[in-house]
Amino acid sequence: MTITLDQADTIVRAGLAFARDEKFAPLTLAVLDPGGTLVALARQDGSGLLRPDVAVAKAWGVLGLGIDNREIARRATAAPAFFASVTALAGGRILDVPGGVFVRDAEGRLLGAVGATGDTSLNDERAAVAGIEAAGLIPVTGE
């Protein structure tokens, strides 16, 4: 099972609307399927040039390692040389800050992940969560 284009579109639109309502800095949201393939991406006007790559990396990293961003951060702190090696192997697509959120259905099946970036990492995560919930799906942050 995988996230649908309609679900991904809802996540992006609702997440960006949430960010706008909360007056966050301009965000970029990326939605990936369980295999790490990009399904949807949107970048608000004024969101930086590298933000699409950062959003994809936040989502790809949680999928690639199978653990949430907070656990990635704990492991990066505990074993920085290993984390640096894994990040290099992943082509830089692993970040150890909030903003990469697993997407699950009501039965707990993994549908993909969302990466959000542009404001503080915690606000990025809040926007991703809002988008996922608007699509009727379950966000998993590790919080």
Side-chain angles (χ1 to χ4, degrees):
M1 179 146 245
T2 187
I3 195 156
T4 67
L5 179 58
D6 285 341
Q7 291 168 324
D9 186 56
T10 298
I11 290 168
V12 167
R13 290 179 187 279
L16 294 179
F18 177 85
R20 223 177 359 265
D21 292 346
E22 294 291 315
K23 300 192 180 354
F24 291 172
L27 295 189
T28 298
L29 268 73
V31 181
L32 280 57
D33 71 14
T37 300
L38 183 64
V39 178
L41 183 135
R43 185 175 67 86
Q44 289 178 313
D45 295 345
S47 186
L49 176 65
L50 288 175
R51 293 300 180 178
D53 293 326
V54 173
V56 167
K58 284 184 175 186
W60 198 92
V62 299
L63 288 169
L65 293 176
I67 55 177
D68 62 73
N69 287 124
R70 285 171 178 78
E71 182 60 25
I72 292 171
R74 282 189 284 277
R75 292 183 187 192
T77 299
F82 178 76
F83 179 74
S85 296
V86 169
T87 301
L89 287 171
R93 293 179 295 180
I94 299 176
L95 296 174
D96 63 343
V97 294
V101 181
F102 287 111
V103 180
R104 295 195 178 271
D105 66 12
E107 289 77 38
R109 292 179 294 232
L110 179 65
L111 301 180
V114 176
T117 184
D119 201 275
T120 67
S121 293
L122 290 176
N123 282 344
D124 296 344
E125 182 178 85
R126 290 177 58 213
V129 166
I132 295 165
E133 289 175 344
L137 300 170
I138 311 298
V140 179
T141 65
E143 179 62 19

